[in-house]
Amino acid sequence: MEATLSTGAQVRYDDVGRGQPVVLLHAFPLSAALWRAQLTTLTDRCRMIAPDLRGFGGSPPMPTPQSLDDYAADVLALLDALHIERAVVAGLSMGGYIAFALLRQAPERISGLLLADTRATPDSDAARATRAANAEIALREGSAALAERLLPNLLAPQASEALRAELLAIAAANPPEGIAAALHAMAARPDSTPLLSQISVPTTVVVGAEDGLTPPSEARLMHEAIAGSRFVVIPNAGHLSAIERPAEFNLALVELVMQVTAHS
């Protein structure tokens, strides 16, 4: 489905299933295709809404510069367009950064939170420099060239060649301008650590046991700072736990949705 939002962004999104609304925010440099296992197996329990964030998948890029607040504003505008007052928000990696931006902008719209393979801390100077260099590679050499460099760090070593090829195709299809804009937005994101103690909705922190980018040790610190949160480490998964080990990820998400439903 497609919508032109009040923010001016054109967004393609999936909207499947019935029940508790769940918004799935995908990782960089992918699209809503990351959530194929969730969109096909959880529709009897949840209404799953998975946007291609601006500049990814079927959502065209917007004029730069942009911040993560812009992506979050798109999510809120999509919820408005769908007449959804509150939703569970599940963000993986960059999607987690956007979830934090949503918490800053409109915490009352979030009924539950799943933070997967992400971090609350901002980029170091070195990480910001790397993102800037990667943005140049995307614009100069194309999305596929950058994806080939990044993909090995996103998956556990035992991930299948078929999954690697699938993810590479998803990333390669994204417009370089969208990739570059997201890299600059992530580099400029603020420190979200102060938000953690303010989170009052049911929250689950999920991390792949073999995630080298946002490791379990960092995920545990987030969990410990969020009162009452659950902590789930998924074995044999790297940074993209939702598509590497979908059954385990889905269980964590369903348990969160049940917790939210019991609270409401």
Side-chain angles (χ1 to χ4, degrees), residues 107-121:
E108 72 281 359
R109 304 293 296 273
I110 299 174
S111 60
L113 196 58
L114 189 144
L115 298 168
D117 302 282
T118 192
R119 57 161 53 98
T121 51

Side-chain angles (χ1 to χ4, degrees), residues 40-247:
T40 53
T41 57
L42 297 181
T43 52
D44 58 332
R45 293 174 175 262
C46 319
R47 180 180 177 184
M48 315 291 289
I49 298 147
D52 286 337
L53 298 166
R54 57 167 72 186
F56 293 88
S59 300
M62 297 281 284
T64 52
Q66 292 161 77
S67 75
L68 292 178
D69 289 335
D70 295 319
Y71 298 87
D74 289 346
V75 175
L76 293 172
L78 179 59
L79 288 176
D80 289 343
L82 297 175
H83 306 291
I84 294 171
E85 194 173 324
R86 299 182 82 214
V88 174
V89 173
L92 195 153
S93 190
M94 179 178 75
Y97 303 156
I98 296 167
F100 286 129
L102 285 167
L103 277 170
R104 274 188 286 274
Q105 286 184 33
E108 72 281 359
R109 304 293 296 273
I110 299 174
S111 60
L113 196 58
L114 189 144
L115 298 168
D117 302 282
T118 192
R119 57 161 53 98
T121 51
D123 275 357
S124 64
D125 288 343
R128 278 192 283 270
T130 298
R131 291 203 201 273
N134 283 341
E136 290 302 316
I137 291 169
L139 292 173
R140 188 176 63 245
E141 300 177 32
S143 301
L146 180 62
E148 286 174 0
R149 296 182 186 218
L150 298 181
L151 201 59
N153 294 324
L154 298 181
L155 297 168
Q158 62 269 33
S160 70
E161 288 306 314
L163 180 58
R164 291 175 192 278
E166 178 188 359
L167 293 171
L168 185 60
I170 294 169
N174 290 323
E177 299 82 4
I179 296 251
L183 282 162
H184 289 302
M186 288 189 287
R189 75 185 189 279
D191 185 3
S192 295
T193 309
L195 284 177
L196 300 177
S197 62
Q198 301 170 26
I199 296 172
S200 58
V201 295
T203 300
T204 300
V205 178
V206 174
V207 66
E210 297 182 50
D211 185 343
L213 294 179
T214 51
S217 58
E218 194 150 3
R220 180 177 288 280
L221 291 175
M222 282 199 300
H223 154 63
E224 290 171 350
I226 303 171
S229 64
R230 294 181 65 241
F231 183 50
V232 177
V233 180
I234 297 181
N236 303 311
H239 190 60
L240 300 177
S241 56
I243 201 166
E244 290 182 79
R245 306 292 295 183

